[in-house]
Amino acid sequence: MSRFFSEKYADLEPYVPGEQPQDQEYIKLNTNENPFPPHPAVVEAVQNESRRLHLYSDPECRDLRRALAKRTGLREEQLIMTNGSDEILNFAFMAFCDRHTPAVFADITYGFYPVFAQINGVPYREIPLKEDLRLEPKAFYQTAGTVFIANPNAPTGYALTREEIQGILEENSYNAVIIDEAYVDFGAESAIPLIREYDNLLVVQTFSKSRSLAGGRLGFGAGNPELIRDLEAVRYSINPYNVNRMTSAAGIASLEHDDYYMKNSKIIQENRRWAGQALKKLGFEMTDSMANFLFVRHPKADGETLYREAKKRGVLIRHFNQERIRDYNRITVGTREQMEQLVRVMEEILGGMA
Ligand SMILES: *Cc1c(COP(=O)(O)O)cnc(C)c1O
């Protein structure tokens, strides 16, 4: 730390993204990227748009919001576009939390939430998941704070039903409730249809996971127009050109080829089922994941060792050195071939330990 670093960040513990090693070719199952490339029309749209890079992007993202409105059945004024969904999450911490309105989230959830709280100087309260790592909706009733729930949750993969979300919205009518649906396209129910009824709901989604656009950085918030206007005030105070031209073009082209992505999502769900079965046969235990990852542990091997041994064999998975989940690893669901290689590697590791 230099002697110039602001004291307001003295205690900051930055988010640690999953490794992106350059030293060798790994089977990368550690950051929940989509194994399938973007649709060719997306690549073409990006190439075409790059010719206009000398011009600023549209700060209102009109074309993209129009396309997304059509796809979600929402109105354009119910949507805000951002540079990945991490950005809209940060905006929500800025817009809807303060000294008197703490952020409230689960003890085991997306690791960025406490970081956003810290950097914005906002107090936060963690609500423990149950012993089995499921979220108890009633524990999130009457929170007197701004609620952040990843649904499906990360890194457990468990999902709440729309009805359970509705209960949380009902019981927090004085609080904003942010539902982070980064993984919703892999089999869970979206809360988007509840936006019409609940003015305290903000749904957050990303193009990074189900739409193969992690490197493009595109996310959005969906909610009541008044909520969206607050978030727009924050966005215009930070970076009105937060979504660049090429990403915007990529987003529009992705939405035009939605069936390609939904078909890929079905394949990933099938691979999740297959890999889950195969790992169970090797003695693994796992949560009932509705996301594009499995969250697994083995009674005979600690999580850190499995992670290290898999890396030695060219397979990257994600271990979290965090209380309650140290035994686990989160494994992204990739192609069938990648899952077969993962299972072979795990079999070898466990064989060597017996
Ligand atoms: C991946 C992820 C995000 C953010 O992804 P972006 O690439 O910033 O859109 C947000 N929330 C959760 C729970 C995630 O896993």
Side-chain angles (χ1 to χ4, degrees):
M1 191 191 305
S2 81
R3 64 188 196 277
F4 310 110
F5 199 38
S6 168
E7 68 173 28
K8 67 179 183 282
Y9 297 138
D11 299 325
L12 194 61
E13 297 168 63
Y15 178 72
V16 183
E19 313 163 77
Q20 303 285 2
Q22 312 286 332
D23 60 327
Q24 71 173 85
E25 280 284 306
Y26 285 98
I27 295 189
K28 249 189 113 275
L29 307 177
N30 68 329
T31 50
N32 298 340
E33 288 145 324
N34 198 302
F36 301 110
H39 190 280
V42 171
V43 177
E44 197 189 316
V46 168
Q47 279 166 350
N48 286 335
E49 195 59 36
S50 68
R51 291 194 205 105
R52 284 182 282 276
L53 269 179
H54 58 300
L55 303 172
Y56 280 111
S57 57
D58 171 16
E60 294 180 46
C61 276
R62 273 164 298 195
D63 295 343
L64 178 53
R65 279 195 299 134
R66 192 172 312 120
L68 189 59
K70 214 166 99 192
R71 154 94 186 113
T72 54
L74 294 169
R75 286 176 286 124
E76 286 156 52
E77 63 266 32
Q78 294 174 304
L79 294 168
I80 175 174
M81 308 306 303
T82 55
N83 190 312
S85 60
D86 289 336
E87 188 178 54
I88 182 72
L89 289 166
N90 189 30
F91 289 172
F93 276 85
M94 297 177 85
F96 305 125
C97 302
D98 56 38
R99 225 151 23 98
H100 312 287
T101 315
V104 176
F105 43 81
D107 62 337
I108 309 288
T109 188
Y110 188 36
F112 229 136
Y113 300 160
V115 178
F116 286 139
Q118 272 186 36
I119 193 141
N120 291 302
V122 163
Y124 62 91
R125 192 165 81 244
E126 293 178 325
I127 297 182
L129 297 178
K130 290 187 288 187
E131 193 59 36
D132 62 4
L133 301 183
R134 286 180 190 270
L135 187 151
E136 171 55 58
K138 291 196 173 62
F140 283 78
Y141 285 3
Q142 309 288 347
T143 57
T146 298
V147 176
F148 291 81
I149 295 177
N151 191 48
N153 196 13
T156 65
Y158 284 123
L160 299 177
T161 64
R162 189 180 294 147
E163 252 182 281
E164 288 172 318
I165 299 286
Q166 190 168 4
I168 291 169
L169 290 165
E170 290 278 349
E171 296 290 335
N172 284 283
S173 50
Y174 297 102
N175 314 115
V177 175
I178 289 85
I179 304 297
D180 176 356
E181 297 188 344
Y183 301 105
V184 76
D185 292 323
F186 300 102
E189 270 182 315
S190 175
I192 282 183
L194 298 174
I195 287 171
R196 206 164 357 123
E197 241 178 296
Y198 296 93
D199 65 0
N200 57 336
L201 169 62
L202 179 73
V203 176
V204 168
Q205 288 193 13
T206 176
F207 282 59
S208 292
K209 314 287 169 46
S210 59
R211 289 190 168 74
S212 301
L213 213 60
R217 314 305 300 130
L218 185 61
F220 66 91
N224 182 277
E226 279 186 50
L227 280 189
I228 298 299
R229 271 198 296 275
D230 296 342
L231 293 160
E232 288 289 14
V234 171
R235 186 175 72 89
Y236 274 88
S237 306
I238 294 178
N239 185 7
Y241 306 110
N242 59 335
V243 178
N244 73 67
R245 283 189 165 271
M246 291 178 295
T247 295
S248 182
I252 294 166
S254 309
L255 292 166
E256 281 164 5
H257 295 276
D258 211 49
D259 36 339
Y260 166 76
Y261 295 104
M262 294 307 114
K263 211 169 73 217
N264 289 345
S265 159
K266 284 281 183 291
I267 296 170
I268 290 168
Q269 290 172 61
E270 169 55 25
N271 295 348
R272 176 178 72 203
R273 193 200 59 76
W274 182 87
Q277 287 296 321
L279 292 174
K280 276 180 192 165
K281 274 188 211 145
L282 298 179
F284 280 93
E285 300 163 354
M286 62 198 69
T287 60
D288 187 12
S289 173
M290 298 296 270
N292 66 338
F293 55 79
L294 292 163
F295 196 52
V296 309
R297 67 173 170 191
H298 198 285
K300 296 210 176 74
D302 80 49
E304 170 100 43
T305 306
L306 277 178
Y307 156 79
R308 235 179 317 105
E309 292 298 316
K311 185 171 177 180
K312 272 189 210 159
R313 292 164 175 81
V315 176
L316 269 189
I317 58 180
R318 185 91 193 255
H319 179 254
F320 297 90
N321 194 2
Q322 185 188 348
E323 232 180 295
R324 294 191 75 186
I325 56 170
R326 266 194 199 98
D327 294 346
Y328 285 85
N329 277 286
R330 190 194 68 190
I331 304 174
T332 304
V333 176
T335 61
R336 175 67 180 256
E337 291 70 35
Q338 290 177 319
M339 295 297 97
E340 285 172 2
Q341 180 62 14
L342 164 82
V343 171
R344 272 196 294 275
V345 160
M346 287 301 172
E347 202 169 5
E348 187 187 309
I349 295 170
L350 293 165
M353 293 170 77

